[in-house]
Amino acid sequence: MLKTYWNKGKKQKIILSVIGLVLLLMFFFFRDDYQPFLLFLRKFIFVILLSLLVLFFGLRTFRRTPSTGKRLGVLGLILLFFGVLYTVGWHFGMYDYMKTYNVFNNLNKVEIHELPLTQNERIQPLQNIFSMANESVGETKDVSLPHLVRVDDENKWTMAIQPSEKYTMQRLSDNTEEVFAVSSTSPFPRFSNENRIEVTFSIGESLMFSRNTYNAVVQRFNPWMLFNYEPSDTFYMKNDEGKWVQVVSLIKWKGFFFPYPSFGGVMIIENGVHDLKDYLERVSIGKGTFVSPEEMKQYNFLQKQNILAEKVSRLQAESLKFLGGFSDPLPWNMETAVKIPDLPKDQNQQPFVTDFDFADSNTNAYSGLYHWFGLEPVGEERTSLSYSVFIPADGSDEMFYYDHASKKQGYAGVSAMPLKVKESRKEYDWTANTPVEFRPYIKDIAGRKRLFFLGTISAISETNKGQFDGSATPDLVLIDSEYRDVIWIDVKHPSQWDITVYEQLNEAWRASEGIGYFFQKELKDKDIEVAIDENITAVDSLKLNQKTISDAEKIKALQRQLDSLKAAQKNQ
């Protein structure tokens, strides 16, 4: 048809050439628009090819079959195949089951036998930070989702102040001109002055067209990456030169049979106002510097950092349900199968980004930021803690897990915590407040490492039940996962938390474990002076007693001599 039209004359050739050129330019410049379709083909390549083969041979057999009955039989078999494929693969979730099993087989799993300690505890949960940040910006501005990252050797919540998605003109013309960087360890987060950094990004998460972060990153992909990579979470941090950059985590899809997501490196987008050259580059080939996982060691600011997509870490943690074997998670087994517990009223689900200290562990794990998961048995009524999972937040090719179940520790899991907190303070108005985000708190207290869960009490918005409003000084609780006791702690004095825990639980620990006495108060100067005086008095008394004893012995000796003389006189 096209050949016939082409041969009609010069005008038709020009029309086809123009149409072909336009289609080619659209194919080049609109890569970000059709890339999701390419990614869909990549994710389901095996199922698609299998379906096409069955359809091809089935229809060919149908055409070659003369009998009407046999043709209906062939059509029935084709329909049966696709029905079984949908029912088993999607309705019963076997496709995701096989994908998760591929993740498990390709994981570098390391079992640890001693829990690491937590450090630099973050006071506020993510949703509280997000709510307070939105309270600090104007009508035409939005705040990107906060992420916990390392900035200048300190853990901070960082988020961009960007044009609101409600206002199209600002998204077309304005830049992202400020970034919040709020300390995660401070009980008083401030969203002004030095925590509001002026930095311009011409590419942002809420901006439109080629200035959108997703579009700019996808435009930067080469043809191979268009089929295998997808952008994920966006982080804001400082590079090795102290300049603020956007770091976009990339997901790479691996495998042919049941492809699975993995960490694919990052794309680094530098700050600055774009000129004509930058504009042409952004529109044509996108913006950003691709750093593969193998090249991470060349960038110090990306090491021990939080740059891993949560979509990847959640699937890795979930894959531990296959530790008991391929068939163990099936409905008729489930002896050791586990799940990631999602709390219905908690907006920020696992993983919880936590700073761990692995210094005393017998592993090569670094001390820094990790994605932590607390896995529990699959049954809804089962709330015990089966595994603690530590996934390096910098995308390192290792996953560490601690098996609580096999050690028969009997720890309570995350999903058991909300009711325990509510039961401890019945006078609270729990219809307007709720405990959220129970992250791990592991400390060496009273002679051994102990696992607690640190939770925050957040207010529920009256107009939107799904929105939590945080306070600058929220109520905090620690729950002993072993003894199930709830300790309400003072958010303003983190250094006193361990002492508060000991004062409430030491008698139970002493009765159950036979521990000694810890956290004894130090003697003051006055106490030392009194003790010294008492010692001096005791020494003087001892000397006096010794002298008295010595004189008594001399008297007894003289008395014996006198008695001897008297006896001699009588004999004369």
Side-chain angles (χ1 to χ4, degrees), residues 333-370:
N333 286 330
M334 292 191 176
E335 183 176 351
T336 61
V338 290
K339 69 177 186 300
I340 300 173
D342 288 331
L343 305 185
K345 289 188 177 182
D346 201 336
Q347 282 193 335
N348 183 31
Q349 305 293 351
Q350 298 183 38
F352 298 138
V353 180
T354 309
D355 197 343
F356 287 100
D357 180 9
F358 277 86
D360 296 331
S361 64
N362 296 323
T363 65
N364 59 348
Y366 66 79
S367 295
L369 297 176
Y370 285 78

Side-chain angles (χ1 to χ4, degrees), residues 320-527:
L320 286 187
K321 65 185 179 182
F322 291 104
L323 280 172
F326 173 77
S327 61
D328 189 69
L330 293 174
W332 53 84
N333 286 330
M334 292 191 176
E335 183 176 351
T336 61
V338 290
K339 69 177 186 300
I340 300 173
D342 288 331
L343 305 185
K345 289 188 177 182
D346 201 336
Q347 282 193 335
N348 183 31
Q349 305 293 351
Q350 298 183 38
F352 298 138
V353 180
T354 309
D355 197 343
F356 287 100
D357 180 9
F358 277 86
D360 296 331
S361 64
N362 296 323
T363 65
N364 59 348
Y366 66 79
S367 295
L369 297 176
Y370 285 78
H371 287 193
W372 179 87
F373 294 86
L375 304 185
E376 301 176 7
V378 293
E380 293 184 2
E381 69 281 1
R382 300 290 180 259
T383 60
S384 63
L385 182 63
S386 298
Y387 297 98
S388 285
V389 183
F390 310 87
I391 300 178
D394 65 354
S396 300
D397 186 27
E398 277 184 318
M399 183 187 74
F400 304 93
Y401 68 95
Y402 183 93
D403 190 348
H404 298 278
S406 66
K407 294 177 175 57
K408 299 182 179 180
Q409 292 178 326
Y411 287 175
V414 171
S415 58
M417 297 300 112
L419 287 180
K420 297 187 182 301
V421 174
K422 293 178 181 179
E423 192 274 337
S424 69
R425 288 280 176 93
K426 297 183 178 65
E427 68 275 12
Y428 244 89
D429 182 7
W430 293 114
T431 59
N433 301 276
T434 187
V436 298
E437 198 173 305
F438 293 95
R439 52 252 189 223
Y441 181 85
I442 307 172
K443 295 295 179 180
D444 196 339
I445 304 176
R448 70 179 180 88
K449 292 181 179 179
R450 301 181 186 274
L451 172 62
F452 301 85
F453 289 109
L454 174 62
T456 307
I457 309 302
S458 291
I460 304 174
S461 173
E462 294 182 358
T463 57
N464 183 5
K465 296 298 183 181
Q467 178 183 349
F468 297 156
D469 294 325
S471 167
T473 55
D475 290 334
L476 294 183
V477 290
L478 283 173
I479 306 97
D480 190 328
S481 62
E482 183 177 5
Y483 288 81
R484 273 77 166 173
D485 199 12
V486 179
I487 307 100
W488 291 77
I489 54 178
D490 187 355
V491 64
K492 299 177 182 178
H493 300 93
S495 60
Q496 301 297 315
W497 291 356
D498 290 358
I499 298 176
T500 304
V501 169
Y502 176 78
E503 289 176 349
Q504 180 165 329
L505 289 173
N506 75 90
E507 292 188 6
W509 291 343
R510 193 170 293 111
S512 177
E513 304 172 17
I515 65 171
Y517 291 86
F518 298 85
F519 294 106
Q520 297 298 307
K521 294 182 179 180
E522 297 181 359
L523 294 176
K524 299 181 179 179
D525 293 341
K526 184 177 180 181
D527 297 330

Side-chain angles (χ1 to χ4, degrees), residues 2-10 12-13 16:
L2 289 177
K3 185 177 181 181
T4 303
Y5 186 79
W6 176 271
N7 293 328
K8 282 186 176 182
K10 183 178 180 181
Q12 285 73 17
K13 291 181 180 179
L16 284 178

